Each structure stands twice: as structure tokens, then as C-alpha cells.
Amino acid sequence: MAYRITPRPNDERRAVLTRRIRLLVAATMAYNAVEAVVAITAGALASSTALIGFGLDSVIEVSSAAAVAWQFSARDAAVRQSRERRALRVIAVSFFALAAYVSIDAVRSLLGAGEADPSLPGIVLAALSVVIMPGLSLAQRRTGRELSSASAVADSKQTLLCSYLSAALLAGLLANALLGWAWADPLVALLIAAVAVKEGREAWRGDACCAPGGVAAAVGAEPEAGEDA
């Protein structure tokens, strides 16, 4: 796998990037908290596995962002570095938990456990997320790469996943509302589960980092001379 080689930021630039990560994480957590409440409520009312799964993904997005916030709450660079691996594992386990729940519920729906009703609130929410989430993801990914933070990049991928899932969810909800294709809902839910497994595996291995040396540079290397210890 090829990695993008970026100049190592000096202490002043690192401090600026760290503050930016904290702000982006806070914005992500705030939006996803609202998104989770709306999606899970609307999904429960409409018996929509895809909407509930999307809401749970938002809950996981909050936990993922919280893990990154915990990592970057440390003032010392070496402490932040030592927390990287644990933050990545939290993100990965969150993906796997989402995939397991959504898969079981989607299969139950496909086997006749119940059909999803059309959901206008779900359609509006999915459309908003398609617009908002890509910008948040791009900003966090660029900052994480410059900072050589695998966990920040992994969290940005979780945010980008949310925008992809928003588009798939929107298509499924519209198909159900306009064409009466209730089966589209559990199929979208299974798509959510499949992508979550893929992203979880990458986060567990630390493949998200595109800095020099990959995750090894971010979490396994000793601080260089001149760095804070």
C-alpha cells in the first residue's frame, strides 16, 4: 500500500492542527447526536431497519469522535501517540457492533418479520446528511493526515461512511415511499452492515493512516529528538 508522504509539522503547526481536530470532533459529535435521536425515533415509528441502523451508526460516530477527543485531550504529544492504538480499537469495535445488529435485524425483515413504512422525517434527515457530512469528513481527514494521526483519519472515514450511507438510505427510503418497495429498506441496511465490517477491519489494522510509514509511524514509533516526551 502506498502512503502519502507529508512534511512533519513543527510544534506550532502541530498545536494548531490539534485544536482544529478538537473543533471538528466537537462539531461531528453534536451533529450526530441530533441525527441519532431523529433517525432512531423515525425508524422505530416506521419499523425501518435501515433508519434504525443509520441512527445507530450515528451513535457509533459519536463514540468514535469521543475516542479521538479523548486522545487529543492530552497536552503531551507522546501521550496522544500512546492513546492512538486504543482509539483505533474503539472505532473498529463500534463498526463491528453496528454490523452485527443491523445484519440480524435486516435478515429478520427480509424473512417477513415486518415491512417498513414510508418515512418523511427519514428522507429529510438523509438528504441533510448527504450535504453536511462530506465537508466535515474532508476537513478532518486533511488535518489528520498532516498531523499523522491514524485515529483522526479513521474517524474521518467513519464520517465519510455516514455520507455514503445517507445517500443509500435516501435511495431506499424514496424507493419505499414512491414505488412501494419495502424490501429496499433491509437491503440498504445490509449494505450499511457490509461497509461497516470493511471499515472496522481497516481501523483495527490501522490501515486508515496515509502518513509516512502508516500506523507504525503514528502509534509504534518512539518520539524523535526534539519532540515532547
Side-chain angles (χ1 to χ4, degrees), residues 200-213:
R201 290 177 61 190
E202 290 184 1
W204 187 269
R205 294 194 305 259
D207 290 350
C209 189
C210 295

Side-chain angles (χ1 to χ4, degrees), residues 36-114:
V37 172
V38 175
I40 292 174
T41 302
L45 292 173
S47 299
S48 170
T49 302
L51 255 177
I52 293 174
F54 184 74
L56 291 174
D57 177 73
S58 299
V59 173
I60 293 172
E61 175 71 18
V62 172
S63 68
S64 171
V68 177
W70 166 73
Q71 178 195 347
F72 282 91
S73 66
R75 294 184 177 275
D76 190 271
V79 175
R80 291 197 300 268
Q81 195 174 68
S82 69
R83 290 180 175 181
E84 184 97 52
R85 178 72 68 181
R86 280 174 285 176
L88 282 169
R89 293 299 167 92
V90 169
I91 293 169
V93 170
S94 298
F95 275 123
F96 295 144
L98 168 66
Y101 174 84
V102 171
S103 296
I104 292 170
D105 215 30
V107 170
R108 288 180 63 253
S109 295
L110 288 172
L111 292 177

Side-chain angles (χ1 to χ4, degrees), residues 127-220:
L128 284 174
S129 295
V130 167
V131 174
I132 293 171
M133 300 311 286
L136 278 175
S137 173
L138 179 61
Q140 189 170 348
R141 181 172 299 195
R142 285 177 173 174
T143 306
R145 281 176 170 167
E146 187 175 353
L147 197 56
S148 297
S149 171
S151 62
V153 175
D155 188 55
S156 77
K157 292 181 72 175
Q158 164 74 303
T159 305
L160 186 61
L161 170 64
C162 182
S163 66
Y164 292 154
L165 298 184
S166 301
L169 176 66
L170 182 60
L173 293 177
L174 288 173
N176 190 14
L178 300 178
L179 303 174
W181 293 355
W183 49 264
D185 187 272
L187 287 183
V188 170
L190 288 175
L191 172 64
I192 292 173
V195 177
V197 169
K198 174 181 178 295
E199 296 297 337
R201 290 177 61 190
E202 290 184 1
W204 187 269
R205 294 194 305 259
D207 290 350
C209 189
C210 295
V215 73
V219 303

